[in-house]
Amino acid sequence: MEQPYAIEMLNITKRFPGIVANDNITIQLKKGEIHALLGENGAGKSTLMSVLFGLYQPEEGKIRKDGKDVKIENPNDANDLGIGMVHQHFKLVECFSVLDNIILGVEPNKLGFLNKAEARKKVTELSEKYGLHINPDALIEDITVGMQQRTEILKMLYRDNEILIFDEPTAVLTPQEITELMQIMKNLAAEGKSILFISHKLGEIMSVADRCSVLRKGKYIGTVNIADTSAEELSAMMVGRNVNFHVHKEEAKPGKVVLDVQNLTVASNLHKNDAVKNVSFKVREGEIVCVAGIDGNGQTELVYALTGLEAAAGGRIELLGQDITNLSIRKRNDMGISHIPEDRHKHGLVLDYSLEDNMILKRYYEPEFSGKFGIMNKANIRKYAERLIEQYDVRSGQGAATTARSMSGGNQQKAIIAREIDKNPELLIAVQPTRGLDVGAIEYIHKQLVAQRDAGKAVLLVSLELDEVMDVPDRILVMHQGEIVGEFDPKNVTQEELGLYMAGAKKDKVEA
Amino acid sequence: MKKNFLKNSIVQSILTSLICIVLGMIIGFIVLLFINPAGAAEAIISVAKNFLTYNSANMQLKYLGNTLVKTAPLLMCALSVLFSYKVGLFNIGAAGQYVVGACACLYAALAWKWSWLPCMLLAVLAGAVFGAISGILKSYFNVNEVISGIMLNWIGLYSTNMILSNVKEAASPYTYQLTAAGEQALLPTLGLGALFNKNQYVGLALPLSVLMAVLIWAILAKTKFGYELKATGFNKNAAKYSGMAEKRNIILTLVIGGALAGLGGSLLYQTGYEQWQCTHSSLPAMGFNGIAAAFLGGLNPIGTIFSSFFIQHITAGGAYVDKTMYCSQISDLISAIIVYLCGFVGFFKYAMNSRIEKSEAKAAAKEMGKEAAAENKKGGKE
Ligand SMILES: Nc1ncnc2c1ncn2[C@@H]1O[C@H](COP(=O)(O)OP(=O)(O)OP(=O)(O)O)[C@@H](O)[C@H]1O
Ligand SMILES: [Mg+2]
């Protein structure tokens, strides 16, 4: 009889200090299926996949491949069994080329000499076969996250892996890239590869997965056939209650201007053209303005210039009537700018610091935390961190003392959001604040943004997510190639219309 | 929950450091065996014994004193390296900063007849200036601190030779004896010499260097400045994002690192223990040994006190190897091997951690299993 399961993980239990990350979990992956794994932040999805990939040893339970018990002690074992993984946070060597990253560890050689030509041929074939467009000679540090991800996928295919694990692959992608990835996954499954796919986006799961298993707080809740379920049912299974997908908010009552951007120009680090070209707009108190657009159209640079991470090449930025164009980052922070950064590992956190030390990253110099002679007040720091953890429901193994690195991706994000909102800013700049969060947490963050607005603060949201763009803000600005090409009231515009502007097919003259 | 004793990072640091030391000794012994098997055991024992070779307690004390005299400057160099390392900078320039410190205090003492405190402060200043140069090059011109440090090391060495030639004995390449020509610049002995069988070189330097170690520890562990520096070392993008003045911090760190190494120069040469040899064509090992001492001390200022003493101990011990059996460089070779192995602390720590992890996970599992079972009974279903 043919064995229907490619991989079975039976009664897996994995514990970390202070937490049971996986509590007696069983999932079975059929050959050629796309099996989604759904669960709140910190539910234990990444941990379970890391067990399968040999990064962690479970205390209990066993793993079977094609019906036979196997031991996976490290990623090499996993690779030998044909298991590959694209991690939530990519693991590529920044200063190596795409090709070098793909062949790293399995370099083809002749008499000990590297034979790159052969590798290049195989990589090119694979990339053509599955529509994974890459430039094999580009350096990782120079390419977009979408391309980095394709590199990760090619890495698995190059190793002839049959079982592919995708840990939140779409969190960092643009809608276009997501559509492409979904197609690639379908192609792979059609080829007979079996795929485990983690995502918080119910729409994606509904559109590509065959079955979905749900975890909650380390426990297994159940597995359903996608054909027999709905997004609502899935989210209820995952959070344990019904989730509101729509943001409920009153009419905005904009007041005086908080942020006034005039003819701002920012040079690009990637190409000769300016990344932001002569951009002007205003954000008033009591309103949420969203900068929408396809990734890489100058949003990142715009935010860098507003927050001071990069200098403006021209133009003027005013906060509450004061010129801040050339002020330091610290001064801008103190004047009331909060910034939820795009890249939580690069800017948002010191991963080797404890959660509490990260919570005070923007305020450590205030008298409450560092007293006479600059001596830090550990008791106050602990108290403050514990309040934020409680209030914003940041989950981790050891509370305030947990090393940030060991926290789940979504909870790292929540910690940053807690820190930035709690500073009680005049202007909150939130760049993709819900990236990697579960639907429950997204609902919560959106409520927080609206609450900030209702408290009379100005909110500048940068988002790639069309649902978020349509739902949360009071005004939408579309950016294309460094320019603002349209301004809309979300109530009077359709997603299709926005799409045309984002792609550069339509363009208005916008007055600030 | 019960904690694994080995998981404690302090215990780990100490243990890995000891492993390095033992391994260094063994390899040193093997090398000696190759050169001349007859005397190997005896030689390695004399390295380990150092001042204990002497039979009389008085002599032992006196030579222990000598080892301590050289421990103080080594500790300063180690602190210099350690402090910079916390910010992610590798201060190989400590060697040169140490030399210019020595130059500044000797010149001020011999040529200008300054008294000890101003001489010492000038040494600190000289080291700080060298550190500042590296720091400015790093933060404004993106010049790697290792490169500029190495260059400055040589610049420091040859300028020192040149400057101190003005205050050297006519018939030798050595500077004037401080005891004769610059007595006013000798560091106060605080009566400490009496404890070491009237060793006149032991004095202020030792307690001062230990005090500096404690100070550096406090800065790193307890202060706002330490918080900033470590954040910059771990993730300089996040440091910038949070508004820390990273350029200023890089410069400040190297200035402090330079000042510490410069002070090291003063703490040796102002005891009168050694004269500067104006024909030096290589840098004194002190600064480089500081790197080993910093790592052997687990990059902990307090640990560094002990590692500095140990490294000085075997370096001095090398002098007692039987020169009729081995050539005269052997002492340096053996201590160098041990010092070299000391650099492997990080590696052993890693190896140890990954071994512990497995056994610890199992132990924790049992404990947690019990707790979870108890909780399940209590909680029931949510
Ligand atoms: N290496 C580790 N050491 C200690 N605790 C850990 C470690 N890795 C994960 N954890 C803890 O285990 C729990 C599960 O984490 P995991 O990363 O599996 O969550 P997740 O379901 O992937 O969440 P997210 O959607 O936020 O990525 C979390 O509470 C996390 O803090
Ligand atoms: Mg995860």
Side-chain angles (χ1 to χ4, degrees), chain A residues 16-17 19 21 39-48 56 88 167-168 200 395-397 406-411 436:
Chain A
F16 288 118
I19 200 159
E40 291 179 277
N41 296 124
K45 306 176 296 291
S46 296
T47 305
L48 187 66
Y56 295 136
Q88 187 167 5
D167 192 351
E168 284 190 47
H200 289 295
R395 296 183 201 165
S396 61
S406 80
M407 290 167 55
S408 85
N411 280 298

Side-chain angles (χ1 to χ4, degrees), chain B residues 316-336:
Chain B
Y320 298 101
V321 175
D322 189 344
K323 300 288 162 30
T324 58
M325 292 193 157
Y326 300 98
C327 63
S328 63
Q329 279 87 0
I330 196 72
S331 50
D332 286 342
L333 178 65
I334 295 304
S335 39

Side-chain angles (χ1 to χ4, degrees), chain A residues 15 59 309 329-330 339 341 345-347 349-350 352-353 357 360-362 364 370 374-376 378 419-420, chain B residues 1 221-228 230-231 234-235 237-238 240-244 361 365 368-369 372 382:
Chain A
R15 300 185 179 92
E59 279 84 40
L309 280 168
I329 297 175
R330 174 63 49 84
H339 175 197
H345 284 183
K346 184 171 178 196
H347 289 119
L349 295 167
V350 178
D352 295 296
Y353 267 1
D357 281 346
I360 56 161
L361 198 60
K362 288 276 192 75
Y364 65 94
S370 49
I375 310 250
M376 303 206 83
K378 305 259 168 178
R419 179 182 74 210
E420 297 305 311
Chain B
M1 199 167 61
K222 301 281 172 197
T223 70
K224 182 172 84 175
F225 184 48
Y227 175 90
E228 284 194 5
K230 285 183 293 178
F234 284 136
N235 181 352
N237 291 311
K240 182 175 177 197
Y241 155 85
S242 67
M244 295 173 189
M368 290 272 306
E382 264 178 86

Side-chain angles (χ1 to χ4, degrees), chain B residues 86-130:
Chain B
K86 292 281 173 186
V87 197
L89 298 170
F90 194 62
N91 186 18
I92 204 165
Q97 294 150 4
Y98 167 81
V99 168
V100 294
C103 170
C105 69
L106 282 180
Y107 193 80
L110 298 172
W112 300 328
K113 307 286 176 203
W114 285 12
S115 72
W116 70 271
L117 186 59
C119 287
M120 183 196 272
L121 294 178
L122 192 68
V124 170
L125 184 71
V129 168
F130 261 54

